[in-house]
Amino acid sequence: MATRNETRTRSRSNDNNRKTRKPAAEKSAFSFGNGESGAAPLLGALAAGAAIGIGANWARKFLQQASESVMAGNAWDEILKLEHKATLAKFDALLATEDSETVKRAGLVKLLHYGLNKHSFQEEQVVYPALRQANETVDADHLEHEHGYVKTYLYRLENMEKDSAEFLPTVREFRDLIAEHAKMEEEQVYPRFKAAMSDEQNARITMLMNKEGMKMN
Ligand SMILES: [Fe+2]
Ligand SMILES: [Fe+2]
């Protein structure tokens, strides 16, 4: 059976082959911005984070940052970045647990599952299709391929005994995948894509992404 790295390397090479067959850049579906936006999807996740004890101050800080970003109206990338940070904080809370804290671990895994499902849904329904329309197919396919492993890790953690010796090493491996994936989105893919679009197009993506996120609340 192929390891995750082997599979991901293979995927990049397949992606390179596919890129040559893609049509020219076309952004029309994302070009009718009306500036709608909303913080509701993020608020739900933050409230859940505070409830499970990740920290009210932490949640408040994110809320403040989120409202500033949403005020901008075209800050889809900033919203996703905040969600990345919130996700990594959940991993850190998990890594700080003891084997005896099985209930807390189960709660945090559920919270992680909810947050990652919503985040992935927004990217898969709006951002990655928009990337493909802008002829960024290789990156979109690579990122979506990694989302498959996100689901696999969630499945493993949910079905694992929460006091298993395998639990924390699996969380660590999963965190590494998410950190690397988020870094690629935040530092390579999203800045280039955002800069290539008009304010109106970015506002359109923000609105569509928030709409999809609300379906997951
Ligand atoms: Fe992603
Ligand atoms: Fe992301």
Side-chain angles (χ1 to χ4, degrees):
M1 195 170 132
T3 64
R4 177 163 64 79
N5 284 341
E6 283 166 352
T7 310
R8 287 161 69 195
T9 304
R10 226 173 13 242
S11 165
R12 279 178 201 267
S13 132
N14 289 341
D15 290 342
N16 285 334
N17 292 337
R18 268 199 300 276
K19 188 170 188 181
T20 57
R21 296 197 299 271
K22 295 307 291 179
E26 210 258 276
K27 300 175 189 168
S28 59
F30 298 93
S31 61
F32 304 104
N34 59 9
E36 280 180 49
S37 182
L42 190 58
L43 301 187
L46 291 170
I52 200 130
I54 288 180
N57 285 338
W58 171 84
R60 217 174 0 253
K61 192 175 154 210
F62 275 118
L63 279 173
Q64 192 186 347
Q65 288 178 329
S67 49
E68 282 166 10
S69 295
V70 169
M71 292 271 284
N74 60 2
W76 59 271
D77 57 329
E78 291 299 322
I79 294 168
L80 293 175
K81 201 189 268 190
L82 286 170
E83 291 182 358
H84 291 159
K85 276 191 193 172
T87 301
L88 291 174
K90 285 174 205 155
F91 276 108
D92 293 340
L94 262 177
L95 288 170
T97 57
E98 303 286 340
D99 285 350
S100 58
E101 297 178 287
T102 54
V103 174
K104 187 172 183 184
R105 283 183 177 181
L108 281 165
V109 169
K110 271 200 175 64
L111 196 59
L112 198 58
H113 196 151
Y114 165 77
L116 283 169
N117 263 356
K118 191 185 79 69
H119 184 84
S120 301
F121 191 71
Q122 294 172 130
E123 290 181 332
E124 290 169 13
Q125 299 299 313
V126 177
V127 181
Y128 297 171
L131 278 170
R132 290 189 184 97
Q133 272 201 306
N135 217 22
E136 299 278 354
T137 306
V138 173
D139 287 338
D141 288 353
H142 172 75
L143 292 168
E144 190 147 354
H145 177 80
E146 289 192 327
H147 281 195
Y149 286 93
V150 171
K151 290 173 181 72
T152 304
Y153 273 112
L154 285 169
Y155 173 83
R156 281 175 61 191
L157 285 178
E158 281 186 338
N159 291 288
M160 187 181 287
E161 293 299 332
K162 301 300 180 284
D163 57 357
S164 159
E166 289 296 301
F167 187 83
L168 288 181
T170 306
V171 171
R172 244 175 246 120
E173 228 178 81
F174 189 8
R175 190 193 189 284
D176 288 347
L177 166 70
I178 294 289
E180 187 194 330
H181 179 92
K183 191 171 180 217
M184 181 178 169
E185 290 180 336
E186 289 178 19
E187 294 181 7
Q188 296 175 44
V189 183
Y190 292 170
R192 188 177 61 227
F193 182 44
K194 186 169 189 177
M197 289 192 297
S198 65
D199 284 350
E200 193 183 39
Q201 287 170 320
N202 279 303
R204 174 73 176 162
I205 292 205
T206 307
M207 184 275 289
L208 290 173
M209 194 186 81
N210 284 332
K211 208 183 230 179
E212 291 302 320
M214 275 183 250
K215 291 180 189 169
M216 303 294 279
N217 282 339

